[in-house]
């Protein structure tokens, strides 16, 4: 099996997206910490892994990849027979999973990420939360979650009966939003709330949380 | 009657993204026009195809899909043996293609879409351009295209030697931006310029533009 190195930062949502996938697939890997506070991600060495200077990046033997959602797809396909099944083989089920993966990336994440930045990251680095931006994005997130509530009323997970990347990709931003004022948006929608409780309790996700506590 | 129906609007970049794929794969299909000016995309019938009320949507037999990039991935896989190869079978080549598909969605499209809206669509609708937003996004797009210039200096297409979805997904916004001041960002980067000229000249893309001019 090719040596796997995951380069990233444990506060980065995109890095955590990759780490949880590696744990779900029960893969051996080395975590290489990138020190963003010293601008390491913008220096030549890291730029050779990701020319956009963003974490994470993955080395798999001599293959170098970046963009967390491309990395998770590669890992899910390459190790289809190991650990948790994270994508479907059946083409119709796969198509539906792809739809909800795009929903996460296009509908949910832009809004959720802005809220994470305002409510979690800014306070950490001594910056002031912009309340207008929070209000605007909570309203947008509410509309997205209304669609999720209907979907999850007739499907246990977003892609279908089984947990897949379509659910997993939400974990990092979701975890950050729990414990902020935005948590109410999830709690007030019963199917969404149950789905959140289910996926955040997965052992692989708890391992990522444990990594963060150690560092 | 064709098993595949594409529901959309020929002016919508996301609809054009799907139409380009359908033409590349040489698939029999029916195009069902959605009257966005009449708000048809927000009404019950269309919401049953896409609960987010956005074009396009695809029907393939009894399978209903939305999100243009998910639709395209499904078509590219399901009809792998027809028309142009748009994805790779080899897992390493597929991984690299996935990376650049994510780059289009995460790095290029946010800036390109905002610019398309400000500089191409708003004037068409008699609205005024927000020059601050346009300036900010031109600067962002310039940085993205610097990375593209380096990539395309060592690779004929973004994913590798062959045209794939990683290139195709850019076509609709590229088309709109070429009619604006932003074209200079592409023209001033020789490898990007050559790549843009190549992909916009593809017969399948010209069919999409012909459909647009018929409306």
């Amino acid at each position: 099996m090719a040596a796997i190195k995951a380069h990233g930062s444990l506060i980065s949502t995109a890095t955590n997206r990759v780490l949880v996938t590696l744990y779900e697939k029960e893969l051996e890997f080395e975590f290489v910490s990138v020190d963003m506070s010293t601008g390491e991600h913008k220096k030549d060495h890291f730029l050779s892994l990701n020319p956009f200077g963003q974490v994470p990046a993955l080395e798999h033997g001599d293959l170098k990849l970046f963009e967390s959602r491309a990395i998770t797809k590669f890992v899910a396909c390459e190790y289809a027979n190991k650990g948790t099944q994270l994508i479907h083989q059946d083409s119709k089920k796969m198509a539906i999973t792809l739809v909800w993966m795009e929903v996460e990336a296009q509908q949910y994440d832009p809004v959720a990420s802005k809220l994470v930045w305002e409510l979690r990251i800014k306070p950490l680095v001594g910056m002031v939360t912009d309340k207008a931006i929070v209000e605007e994005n909570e309203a947008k997130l509410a509309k997205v979650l209304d669609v999720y509530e209907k979907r999850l009323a007739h499907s246990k997970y977003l892609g279908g009966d089984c947990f897949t990347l379509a659910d997993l990709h939400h974990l990092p931003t979701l975890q950050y939003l729990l414990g902020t004022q935005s948590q109410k948006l999830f709690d007030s929608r019963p199917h969404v709330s149950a789905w959140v409780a289910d996926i955040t309790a997965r052992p692989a996700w708890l391992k990522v949380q444990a990594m963060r506590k150690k560092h | 009657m064709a098993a595949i129906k594409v529901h959309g609007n020929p002016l919508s970049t996301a609809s054009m993204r799907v139409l380009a794929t359908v033409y590349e794969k040489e698939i029999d299909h029916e195009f069902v026009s959605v009257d966005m000016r009449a708000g048809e995309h927000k009404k019950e019938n269309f919401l049953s195809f896409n609960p987010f009320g956005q074009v396009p949507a695809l029907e393939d037999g009894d399978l209903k899909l939305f999100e243009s990039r998910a639709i395209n991935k499904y078509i590219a896989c399901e009809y792998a043996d027809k028309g142009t190869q748009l994805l790779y079978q080899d897992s390493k080549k597929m991984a690299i293609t996935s990376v650049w598909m994510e780059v289009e969605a995460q790095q290029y499209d946010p800036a390109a879409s905002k610019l398309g809206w400000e500089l191409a669509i708003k004037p068409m609708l008699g609205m005024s351009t927000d020059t601050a937003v346009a300036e900010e996004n031109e600067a962002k797009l310039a940085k993205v295209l610097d990375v593209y210039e380096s990539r395309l200096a060592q690779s004929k297409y973004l994913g590798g030697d062959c045209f794939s979805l990683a290139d195709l997904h850019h076509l609709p916004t590229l088309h709109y931006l070429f009619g604006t001041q932003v074209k200079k960002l592409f023209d001033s980067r020789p490898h990007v310029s050559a790549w843009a000229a190549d992909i916009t000249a593809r017969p399948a893309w010209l069919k999409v533009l012909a459909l647009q001019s018929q409306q």
Side-chain angles (χ1 to χ4, degrees):
Chain A
M1 197 176 80
I4 298 180
K5 285 187 194 176
H7 300 255
S9 159
L10 293 173
I11 49 168
S12 140
T13 50
T15 300
N16 288 330
R17 191 172 287 123
V18 168
L19 294 175
V20 69
T21 302
L22 293 170
Y23 282 126
E24 285 284 355
K25 301 306 280 175
E26 296 165 22
L27 296 168
E28 296 286 323
F29 67 94
E30 184 189 337
F31 175 66
V32 181
S33 192
V34 177
D35 188 352
M36 292 170 74
S37 66
T38 59
E40 194 186 334
H41 54 311
K42 303 294 181 188
K43 293 183 180 152
D44 279 350
H45 177 251
F46 188 79
L47 291 175
S48 69
L49 294 171
N50 182 350
F52 291 93
Q54 292 172 340
V55 291
L58 190 95
E59 288 183 273
H60 182 271
D62 54 12
L63 184 63
K64 293 176 186 180
L65 304 173
F66 60 94
E67 287 297 336
S68 65
R69 294 173 186 83
I71 294 171
T72 59
K73 274 171 212 155
F74 166 72
V75 171
C77 290
E78 188 73 2
Y79 297 97
N81 298 323
K82 242 189 154 285
T84 313
Q85 270 295 304
L86 291 174
I87 47 169
H88 288 104
Q89 304 296 349
D90 172 80
S91 81
K92 281 188 178 177
K93 289 182 179 180
M94 188 61 216
I96 292 168
T97 305
L98 283 171
V99 165
W100 291 92
M101 285 165 74
E102 285 300 313
V103 167
E104 182 275 331
Q106 295 285 335
Q107 309 289 348
Y108 166 86
D109 189 70
V111 177
S113 290
K114 286 195 181 79
L115 286 169
V116 168
W117 173 250
E118 291 297 331
L119 296 172
R120 279 284 189 203
I121 313 289
K122 271 178 147 183
L124 263 180
V125 297
M127 291 167 72
V128 178
T129 297
D130 184 325
K131 292 190 179 160
I133 293 182
V134 170
E135 234 181 82
E136 183 192 337
N137 285 282
E138 280 197 338
K140 287 180 182 177
L141 184 59
K143 287 188 177 166
V144 171
L145 293 180
D146 283 341
V147 177
Y148 278 36
E149 183 63 16
K150 288 195 181 130
R151 171 63 179 166
L152 294 165
H154 60 251
S155 182
K156 186 170 185 202
Y157 294 99
L158 287 173
D161 302 327
C162 303
F163 177 80
T164 62
L165 291 183
D167 311 286
L168 180 154
H169 283 173
H170 294 77
L171 282 166
T173 44
L174 210 58
Q175 191 69 51
Y176 269 131
L177 293 179
L178 297 176
T180 70
Q181 66 180 68
S182 301
Q183 179 169 343
K184 63 184 186 293
L185 298 177
F186 298 89
D187 290 347
S188 59
R189 293 167 172 79
H191 295 97
V192 169
S193 182
W195 168 77
V196 168
D198 179 308
I199 68 174
T200 53
R202 292 181 68 87
W205 183 242
L206 299 177
K207 285 183 184 160
V208 176
Q209 305 293 87
M211 271 181 91
R212 293 191 58 189
K213 289 189 181 124
K214 276 190 217 159
H215 284 71
Chain B
M1 193 170 82
I4 289 197
K5 290 186 190 172
V6 179
H7 299 257
N9 188 295
L11 296 178
S12 130
T13 51
S15 300
M16 291 166 87
R17 190 173 288 124
V18 170
L19 287 169
T21 301
V22 165
Y23 283 127
E24 286 283 355
K25 301 303 281 171
E26 297 164 22
I27 300 172
D28 280 337
H29 66 282
E30 186 189 333
F31 178 69
V32 181
S33 195
V34 177
D35 187 352
M36 292 171 76
R37 281 192 204 183
E40 194 186 335
H41 54 311
K42 304 293 181 189
K43 291 181 183 155
E44 283 300 315
N45 181 51
F46 188 78
L47 291 175
S48 69
F49 292 110
N50 183 351
F52 291 93
Q54 292 172 336
V55 290
L58 186 99
E59 285 182 276
D60 187 352
D62 53 12
L63 183 64
K64 292 178 185 178
L65 304 174
F66 61 94
E67 287 296 336
S68 62
R69 295 173 186 82
I71 292 170
N72 285 354
K73 280 168 208 168
Y74 164 73
I75 293 172
C77 290
E78 187 70 2
Y79 299 94
D81 298 334
K82 261 194 136 272
T84 314
Q85 268 295 302
L86 290 174
L87 293 174
Y88 292 98
Q89 304 295 352
D90 173 82
S91 82
K92 281 188 179 178
K93 289 182 178 179
M94 187 58 223
I96 292 168
T97 305
S98 271
V99 165
W100 290 91
M101 285 166 74
E102 285 300 311
V103 167
E104 182 276 330
Q106 294 285 335
Q107 310 289 346
Y108 166 87
D109 189 67
S113 289
K114 285 192 184 83
L115 282 167
W117 171 249
E118 290 298 333
L119 299 172
I121 315 285
K122 269 177 150 180
M124 259 201 274
L125 301 173
M127 293 165 70
S128 65
T129 297
D130 182 334
T131 46
V133 171
E135 244 179 70
E136 181 192 338
N137 284 282
E138 261 197 62
K140 286 181 180 176
L141 184 60
K143 287 186 177 167
V144 171
L145 292 180
D146 285 340
V147 176
Y148 277 37
E149 184 62 16
S150 298
R151 171 60 179 166
L152 293 164
Q154 18 134 326
S155 182
K156 186 171 185 203
Y157 293 99
L158 288 174
D161 303 325
C162 302
F163 177 79
S164 69
L165 288 184
D167 310 286
L168 181 153
H169 282 174
H170 295 77
L171 283 165
T173 43
L174 209 66
H175 168 71
Y176 278 119
L177 293 180
F178 270 32
T180 73
Q181 67 192 49
V182 172
K183 186 168 192 285
K184 65 183 187 292
L185 298 182
F186 296 84
D187 291 345
S188 60
R189 291 164 174 79
H191 295 96
V192 169
S193 183
W195 165 79
D198 178 306
I199 67 174
T200 52
R202 292 180 69 88
W205 181 243
L206 299 177
K207 285 183 187 159
V208 177
L209 297 183
L211 185 72
Q212 209 186 52
S213 58
Q214 274 164 36
Q215 305 283 321

